[in-house]
Amino acid sequence: MVLEATMICIDNSEWMRNGDYSPSRFQAQADAINLICGAKTQSNPENTVGVLTMAGKGVRVLVTPTSDLGKILACLHGLDFGCEMNLTAGIQVAQLALKHRQNKKQKQRIIVFAGSPITYEKKTLEAIGRKLKKNSVALDVVDFGESDDGKAEKLETLVAAVNNNDNSHIVHVSPGPNALSDVLISTPIFSGDGEGGSGFAAAAAAASAGGVSGFDFGVDPNLDPELALALRISMEEERARQEAAAKKAAEEASKEEKGGEQASSSHDTTMSEAVNTSAVIADDKRQNLTDVEAALLEQALAMSMDGAKSSSVDMIDADMSDATAEDPELAYALKMSVQESAGDSSTHSGMSKVLEDQSFVSSVLNSLPGVDPNDPSLKDFLASLQDQSETQQKRKEDSPEKDGDK
Amino acid sequence: MASVVSSVIPRGQVDLVDFVDWSGVECLNQTTSHPIANALKQGYRDDDGLHLESDADEQLLIYVPFTQVIKLHSAVITGPEEEGPKTVKLFANKEHMGFSNVNDYPPSDSLNLSPDNLKEVPVTLKYVKFQNVRSLTIFIEDNQADGDVTKVQKIALFGTTVDTTNMKDLKKIEEH
């Protein structure tokens, strides 16, 4: 919210006809200037912005510093190209325009778009820089377009000479698919020495960037907060699941060689954590089950996901207990991860679905070689898991298991 | 020596530091670590460790507005022997000058400081030119050694106020 008067120096020399920035260098420059004017006037209503051209017939002030955004945007239309840019004269005229600003309380700033090659000596530029510093004028330089050797260096020395307490910046933009304005939005030129402007910048990014966006999921939180939130949560869950999976992998690797962990990461990230843990278990079981049965099992798990999350978690209790009877460490790890999710479960809905799935599952599991559901230790383990979930579940579960023994 | 130096306030004059409008004090070409307050403010200006220093070159432009109209009588400007100011131009009631137009106006007074002045001997100004002063601009053009950096230890201004009633001076009428 710094109170500032800004003069923008446009490069409208012949070098701006080049199309290496889309659509053309000059157009990219004009877009960037539009955005800067908007940002400055928005961050503080008393800010003023003026525009001058450095090439063409000569250095010409198009608009003296004003807070009227419409006037500034209008004068950017119908600009002619021509000749070469006169940097020193441009900066001097900008300084003069700022000196005669109406509100003397405003700080002075010059923004230079330097697209043509720089023919001046470093010493000349340094002298100019020192003069600006002496009169407490800040300078921002956008180095784009031509980049012959020495140009970047010369501009760096210029900005270094002006710089007083980090108020002056230089940005080098190389040609590429990114629009000039997009690159500038993230720089301190836009955010005005680190304050304000960022809200505007974010909105501007969403509006102008379209498909290309700086947000995590290609969705602007301002436009669609729920979707952005949902995507972020599922991303975090996926990360947590992957961490749990990595932990399990570390434990399993110490026991047996298992390669199924990687397959779990290929699952759709929008599925809930429960599904993914069950997918891991499905992978474990693949060593015991045939592929067909594993596919069926996964399908059953997927179907149960349509119901309440709690039900699927309970089902997984059963799955995990059976599968991990031989692997107490893995059982412990799974139990820990389940305990967290079981604590969250609160609903009884979808119970019937669970039962029906569980009976199917237990019948499948009973065909597992080496797994004996009648094993008392397994039954105890199962019972202990069930205690954490709904008690009704336990009763109904015991009966189908006993039925499925035969 | 010290007793002569300490309170060299000319008779009848007042140290005008109390009448400076601090919100409007500006100084062009000062370094951020050695700002104008080091030279003007009570306490800071007497601290030998704090001084005002120029940045890009040796010139300094100081703008001092006052809270009321004053008459300026004399000034004390001290600094180190080498880097202390030499040519000082004073402008009365000129707002917002810059280095570019500082030579466009004739100064109200122009001082050439000697090494004595830098040791707190006050400089008497052209009193007639400073009868109705709302703001003072001090332009330090160069320093004693003609170096690149000018250092100022203290700037003290002496004079009187105009047309104001000092409420503290009013005394209660004794009851008989």
Side-chain angles (χ1 to χ4, degrees):
Chain A
M1 297 295 272
V2 179
L3 184 56
E4 229 176 29
T6 312
M7 274 304 286
I8 303 185
C9 302
I10 303 181
D11 182 0
N12 59 333
S13 60
E14 288 287 348
W15 303 94
M16 292 300 109
R17 292 192 196 272
N18 198 326
D20 50 2
Y21 296 81
S22 59
S24 76
R25 282 183 188 172
F26 185 74
Q27 207 44 51
Q29 205 188 173
D31 290 338
I33 291 167
N34 287 341
L35 279 174
I36 291 179
C37 293
K40 292 284 180 200
T41 45
Q42 242 201 25
S43 74
N44 188 328
E46 287 192 50
N47 279 352
T48 55
V49 180
V51 176
L52 63 79
T53 53
M54 292 192 282
K57 291 203 182 79
V59 176
R60 199 160 58 99
V61 176
L62 299 174
V63 183
T64 56
T66 169
S67 52
D68 184 357
L69 190 59
K71 208 166 162 190
I72 301 165
L73 299 181
C75 81
L76 288 174
H77 286 298
L79 277 180
D80 292 328
F81 299 90
C83 303
E84 286 195 2
M85 163 180 95
N86 190 344
L87 182 65
T88 45
I91 291 181
Q92 282 172 339
V93 173
Q95 216 182 325
L96 198 63
L98 285 172
K99 201 175 107 173
H100 292 292
R101 64 195 186 284
Q102 286 188 317
N103 184 355
K104 300 289 181 191
K105 287 209 185 291
Q106 289 168 329
K107 299 219 185 301
Q108 304 169 69
R109 179 175 290 274
I110 299 177
I111 304 182
V112 173
F113 283 83
S116 341
I118 306 282
T119 50
Y120 305 99
E121 298 265 331
K122 263 195 199 174
K123 282 205 201 98
T124 328
L125 294 174
E126 256 191 70
I128 294 174
R130 260 183 273 122
K131 195 160 161 238
L132 287 175
K133 180 152 94 164
K134 193 172 162 189
N135 289 292
S136 70
V137 178
L139 178 69
D140 289 333
V141 175
V142 179
D143 172 20
F144 71 113
E146 296 296 310
S147 54
D148 54 2
D149 21 58
K151 181 184 177 190
E153 259 182 59
K154 287 179 184 171
L155 292 174
E156 291 270 1
T157 46
L158 173 62
V159 175
V162 184
N163 198 2
N164 183 9
N165 257 2
D166 245 356
N167 64 351
S168 303
H169 318 95
I170 178 167
V171 179
H172 305 276
V173 186
S174 38
N178 301 330
L180 185 63
S181 16
D182 294 339
V183 177
L184 285 181
I185 279 168
S186 54
T187 59
I189 290 181
F190 235 96
S191 56
D193 296 347
E195 340 164 350
S198 56
F200 177 85
S208 62
V212 179
S213 111
F215 301 107
D216 287 339
F217 308 108
V219 174
D220 179 7
N222 295 333
L223 291 177
D224 199 346
E226 290 154 357
L227 180 56
L229 185 68
L231 288 172
R232 194 171 75 235
I233 287 177
S234 65
M235 186 61 115
E236 282 166 9
E237 282 174 356
E238 167 67 11
R239 236 176 266 134
R241 184 203 60 76
Q242 279 186 347
E243 278 164 28
K247 193 169 67 170
K248 272 175 244 151
E251 287 171 358
E252 284 173 12
S254 65
K255 280 242 166 190
E256 316 175 33
E257 285 293 309
K258 291 192 184 180
E261 298 304 331
Q262 273 121 28
S264 60
S265 60
S266 65
H267 288 287
D268 187 9
T269 56
T270 55
M271 285 176 80
S272 64
E273 178 186 356
V275 172
N276 292 327
T277 48
S278 63
V280 170
I281 297 147
D283 290 339
D284 293 342
K285 287 187 216 140
R286 259 184 213 126
Q287 280 110 41
N288 299 328
L289 301 171
T290 63
D291 284 352
V292 173
E293 285 174 330
L296 284 174
L297 176 60
E298 268 191 78
Q299 201 181 21
L301 293 175
M303 281 196 318
S304 71
M305 288 309 107
D306 292 338
K309 187 180 172 186
S310 58
S311 54
S312 60
V313 168
D314 296 333
M315 183 183 62
I316 285 151
D317 289 343
D319 295 342
M320 292 195 295
S321 61
D322 293 336
T324 61
E326 298 169 328
D327 195 351
E329 280 187 28
L330 176 60
Y332 182 69
L334 291 173
K335 188 176 161 188
M336 293 302 291
S337 64
V338 161
Q339 267 175 359
E340 293 172 25
S341 45
D344 295 338
S345 66
S346 54
T347 66
H348 292 264
S349 61
M351 187 95 56
S352 52
K353 250 195 179 176
V354 170
L355 291 176
E356 143 199 345
D357 286 340
Q358 276 194 342
S359 56
F360 171 77
V361 164
S362 49
S363 63
V364 169
L365 289 174
N366 285 332
S367 65
L368 287 176
V371 175
D372 187 5
N374 284 330
D375 192 3
S377 63
L378 175 64
K379 272 190 184 163
D380 290 341
F381 185 64
L382 185 64
S384 68
L385 281 179
Q386 291 300 330
D387 284 339
Q388 291 154 20
S389 52
E390 295 89 0
T391 52
Q392 286 185 7
Q393 278 280 305
K394 178 189 170 183
R395 270 182 249 120
K396 288 180 187 165
E397 207 176 345
D398 284 349
S399 39
E401 273 196 352
K402 282 174 191 148
D403 290 341
D405 278 353
K406 320 297 171 3
Chain B
M1 225 22 188
S3 56
V4 174
V5 166
S6 55
S7 54
V8 202
I9 302 181
R11 190 157 301 178
Q13 308 298 329
V14 165
D15 190 337
L16 296 172
V17 72
D18 301 323
F19 301 104
V20 171
D21 176 13
W22 294 106
S23 63
V25 169
E26 279 170 20
C27 180
L28 288 180
N29 201 28
Q30 59 180 347
T31 47
T32 1
S33 48
H34 298 99
I36 180 64
N38 288 357
L40 267 184
K41 273 198 175 163
Q42 196 83 39
Y44 291 74
R45 65 187 189 184
D46 295 313
D47 187 341
D48 285 334
L50 299 172
H51 60 267
L52 165 67
E53 195 172 307
S54 67
D55 195 358
D57 63 9
E58 74 279 5
Q59 297 184 340
L60 283 163
L61 193 59
I62 306 163
Y63 174 69
V64 183
F66 296 100
T67 52
Q68 56 179 274
V69 180
I70 48 131
K71 295 182 205 269
L72 199 54
H73 178 267
S74 50
V76 165
I77 302 177
T78 66
E81 219 177 283
E82 291 281 309
E83 297 110 335
K86 187 163 77 181
T87 314
V88 178
K89 292 186 177 160
L90 299 170
F91 301 84
N93 298 329
K94 286 267 184 330
E95 318 263 297
H96 303 115
M97 294 187 84
F99 287 104
S100 46
N101 65 347
V102 78
N103 287 315
D104 294 343
Y105 304 103
S108 305
D109 202 354
S110 181
L111 315 171
N112 204 325
L113 297 177
S114 62
D116 277 345
N117 296 122
L118 292 176
K119 291 201 171 62
E120 291 216 50
V121 175
V123 182
T124 315
L125 308 171
K126 285 185 191 149
Y127 197 44
V128 288
K129 299 265 188 176
F130 296 101
Q131 287 298 299
N132 211 334
V133 177
R134 270 229 135 253
S135 72
L136 182 68
T137 305
I138 304 170
F139 173 50
I140 298 175
E141 201 166 353
D142 50 31
N143 54 46
Q144 299 284 333
D146 283 330
D148 260 345
V149 177
T150 305
K151 293 185 184 168
V152 183
Q153 186 62 43
K154 171 177 175 177
I155 299 176
L157 304 166
F158 301 103
T160 49
T161 55
V162 177
D163 285 344
T164 52
T165 310
N166 192 351
M167 299 307 286
K168 294 179 204 149
D169 289 347
L170 283 178
K171 289 202 172 95
K172 252 166 83 169
I173 297 172
E174 295 285 345
E175 298 221 5
H176 285 288

